[in-house]
Amino acid sequence: MAQPNKPDRFEVARRQKLEKIVELGHDPFGQRFDGHQSIDSARALCPEESGVDGEKVRVAGRIMLRRKAGKLRFFDIKDATGRIQLLFSRGDLSAEQWELMGQLDLGDLIGIDGAMRRTDSGEVSIFVEQLTILGKSLVQPPEKFHGAQDVELRLRQRYVDLIYTEGVLDKLLLRSRIVDSVRQTLRSEQFVEVETPVLHSIAGGAAARPFVTHHNALDIDLYLRIALELHLKRLMVGGVERVYEMGRVFRNEGIDATHNPEFTMIEIYQAYGDYRSMMDLTESIVTNAVRAVLAKSGQENPERLVLPWGDDEIDFTPPWPRRTYAELFAEHAGCETTDLEAVKEKARSEASHGSIGREFIQQMEAGHVHPDVIVNEVFEAAVEHKLTGPLFCIDYPAAMCPLTKRKAGQPEIAERFELFVQGMELANAYTELNDPSLQEELFRTQLEGLSEEDSMAKMDTDFIRALKVGMPPAGGLGIGIDRLVMLLTDSRSIRDVIFFPLLRPEITG
């Protein structure tokens, strides 16, 4: 790899052209270019008949292709909306403009004024009348930038990936459309969007390892937030009855196809609701996002909400089934959650296939693991990947849900659901616990034996104090935005739907 401070021969050649552009009296890195329109809208103005001048247009874009035929030069440029052919004719341009055109390279940014016209071969084109240089590219475009062997290069140079890998920019722009749809759905239901602290003195709201930083002025350690929950609940105590936040969350844990150390999450709380309210809301949020994706592809008001998933498809058409945790466990694990010996045997079987760790089995055999934790370990290993969904898995073991209200008359069951789609957990929701005494007791139970590096090794006493003031009964919901985008854009890795996923530092030299 060439050193950043040592230009290769391509950069040397491009810098020579840059100097020539300056000699011709142009700024090689451009000035403002007002009044231009998108390439997509310009294409729509092209006449149907060939050889007929259409409307005058002004567009800007990056050069992707160039070729010549006699006294004609053909360029293809693209912007975020599409691609179009440019036709430069020696007879239509001044000598200076023709010479300026000769200094252009693939990757350069240019502005064009001209007339829409369809060529004799039927190609939608702009016949160039005025060329404006908007940015000289000093880097040669990659010749081979595709395929699995180039994944790290593509991610590390995402800006190049966005330009030259087909579909990447479209997918990431579709992410913005999906996020906007989520916000529109919540606005229509009178939810208020807020911003809460990213730096926490106590990392709470989830069982996860935090990133630690230090505040010099106060001389205290702080944590990047691992969840949004506890501050949003404080706001409910204060009277914000329908509240949500969409933001970055940080967990100092592993990286794989569905996990990145920093990710985007939305948490939503509705006073005087419960987990059933959250199921209805979740269904609305996701189906409206699916409609937004389908509308982008030209499908307005479809009867069925179906999106591709590899060679298969996902049917998001509501209503979605609601099945209990115990039912799904019995169906896919082959034993009842209440039959502890059978559950342990299933755990041993899964461990033999590598889906449950040996250390966990050793702890289980030594009697150091709560029965509900064993059940959940088997559920994650043997059940979740079979839930193609969309499917609401409801009524979880209470021991797994310390922030959740228990089911009336069934204290062993928590009013919680997870939404599964293609074996992936997409949403997690609860009927929120608002009893301060029970919450404090459950916190203490959960904290027993945790090391200082664990996220919830400290009691958030202010949160308990807030609950004592009085939090209304409520439903709470969390949705992983990156995973939602993965599912709606037929993506297998979270890295495909994050503009800049975390990578190891680049090795140079």
Side-chain angles (χ1 to χ4, degrees), residues 327-342:
E327 289 172 344
L328 293 169
F329 190 95
E331 179 179 333
H332 296 292
C335 58
E336 301 293 331
T337 58
T338 53
D339 187 345
L340 185 57
E341 289 307 313

Side-chain angles (χ1 to χ4, degrees), residues 247-501:
R248 302 297 270 182
V249 173
F250 309 86
R251 296 182 182 179
N252 195 356
E253 299 173 346
I255 300 175
D256 60 28
T258 59
H259 295 86
N260 193 64
E262 59 171 312
F263 57 98
T264 303
M265 185 175 190
I266 186 168
E267 290 201 29
I268 307 162
Y269 293 90
Q270 179 179 333
Y272 313 115
D274 65 4
Y275 76 142
R276 289 164 296 186
S277 311
M278 295 297 100
M279 277 185 259
D280 295 337
L281 182 61
T282 303
E283 205 169 77
S284 293
I285 288 171
V286 176
T287 55
N288 286 341
V290 172
R291 289 188 179 93
V293 171
L294 292 172
K296 184 66 171 66
S297 63
Q299 300 181 58
E300 298 286 350
N301 302 316
E303 291 185 8
R304 294 174 62 236
L305 302 180
V306 178
L307 290 176
W309 184 251
D311 295 331
D312 203 348
E313 62 181 25
I314 307 174
D315 189 346
F316 288 97
T317 309
W320 301 338
R322 303 178 181 189
R323 303 278 306 282
T324 70
Y325 181 101
E327 289 172 344
L328 293 169
F329 190 95
E331 179 179 333
H332 296 292
C335 58
E336 301 293 331
T337 58
T338 53
D339 187 345
L340 185 57
E341 289 307 313
V343 171
K344 287 182 176 180
E345 186 55 39
K346 182 64 176 177
R348 297 182 191 103
S349 173
E350 290 295 328
S352 69
H353 298 108
S355 51
I356 291 180
R358 290 292 180 183
E359 184 178 346
F360 179 86
I361 298 298
Q362 292 171 0
Q363 293 292 315
M364 179 187 79
E365 303 291 15
H368 297 156
V369 183
H370 191 285
D372 281 353
V373 176
I374 302 172
V375 168
N376 199 61
E377 194 77 12
V378 171
F379 188 88
E380 291 180 353
V383 180
E384 287 186 356
H385 67 277
K386 298 176 182 177
L387 306 180
T388 56
L391 178 145
F392 290 113
C393 175
I394 67 174
D395 296 347
Y396 274 64
M400 305 303 302
C401 317
L403 299 177
T404 312
K405 186 168 284 190
R406 277 49 181 150
K407 208 167 181 69
Q410 294 178 272
E412 75 283 3
I413 299 295
E415 290 194 346
R416 171 189 178 185
F417 77 75
E418 289 190 4
L419 171 63
F420 287 94
V421 185
Q422 292 299 323
M424 190 187 309
E425 176 208 332
L426 178 59
N428 188 13
Y430 311 94
T431 300
E432 299 297 337
L433 185 61
N434 60 344
D435 179 336
S437 299
L438 180 55
Q439 179 67 87
E440 185 171 9
E441 178 187 336
L442 291 171
F443 268 163
R444 293 191 187 284
T445 300
Q446 189 180 45
L447 297 180
E448 288 177 2
L450 290 184
S451 65
E452 283 298 316
E453 65 183 3
D454 279 301
S455 67
M456 299 185 73
K458 298 178 182 177
M459 172 78 73
D460 190 338
T461 54
D462 179 70
F463 178 64
I464 300 298
R465 182 167 55 198
L467 289 185
K468 288 179 179 179
V469 172
M471 187 182 91
L477 166 66
I479 299 174
I481 295 297
D482 307 302
R483 292 186 181 183
L484 176 62
V485 177
M486 284 176 63
L487 287 162
L488 302 195
T489 60
D490 194 13
S491 303
R492 295 304 181 279
S493 172
I494 196 170
R495 299 189 303 180
D496 293 336
V497 298
I498 296 176
F499 277 105
F500 299 103

Side-chain angles (χ1 to χ4, degrees), residues 145-164:
F145 200 68
H146 307 281
Q149 70 273 19
D150 297 314
V151 168
E152 183 170 343
L153 175 63
R154 288 175 49 198
L155 295 174
R156 196 172 296 285
Q157 298 182 26
R158 180 65 102 181
Y159 38 87
V160 180
D161 193 27
L162 290 166
I163 298 168
Y164 296 106

Side-chain angles (χ1 to χ4, degrees), residues 137-208:
S137 174
L138 300 178
V139 177
Q140 184 78 357
E143 293 183 11
K144 297 178 180 178
F145 200 68
H146 307 281
Q149 70 273 19
D150 297 314
V151 168
E152 183 170 343
L153 175 63
R154 288 175 49 198
L155 295 174
R156 196 172 296 285
Q157 298 182 26
R158 180 65 102 181
Y159 38 87
V160 180
D161 193 27
L162 290 166
I163 298 168
Y164 296 106
T165 305
E166 192 69 30
V168 172
L169 178 60
D170 291 340
K171 181 177 290 187
L172 287 166
L173 291 178
L174 194 54
R175 176 190 175 110
S176 294
R177 190 180 184 94
I178 291 167
V179 167
D180 186 54
S181 169
V182 172
R183 285 193 162 102
Q184 286 183 39
T185 298
L186 291 168
R187 279 197 298 270
S188 71
E189 297 290 338
Q190 286 74 55
F191 282 87
V192 177
E193 183 173 12
V194 299
E195 293 176 310
T196 63
V198 173
L199 294 174
H200 291 182
S201 58
I202 297 173

Side-chain angles (χ1 to χ4, degrees), residues 199-225:
L199 294 174
H200 291 182
S201 58
I202 297 173
R209 181 168 293 178
F211 289 92
V212 184
T213 187
H214 188 79
H215 190 284
N216 292 330
L218 296 178
D219 193 25
I220 57 171
D221 283 342
L222 295 169
Y223 305 92
L224 296 181
R225 64 187 179 191

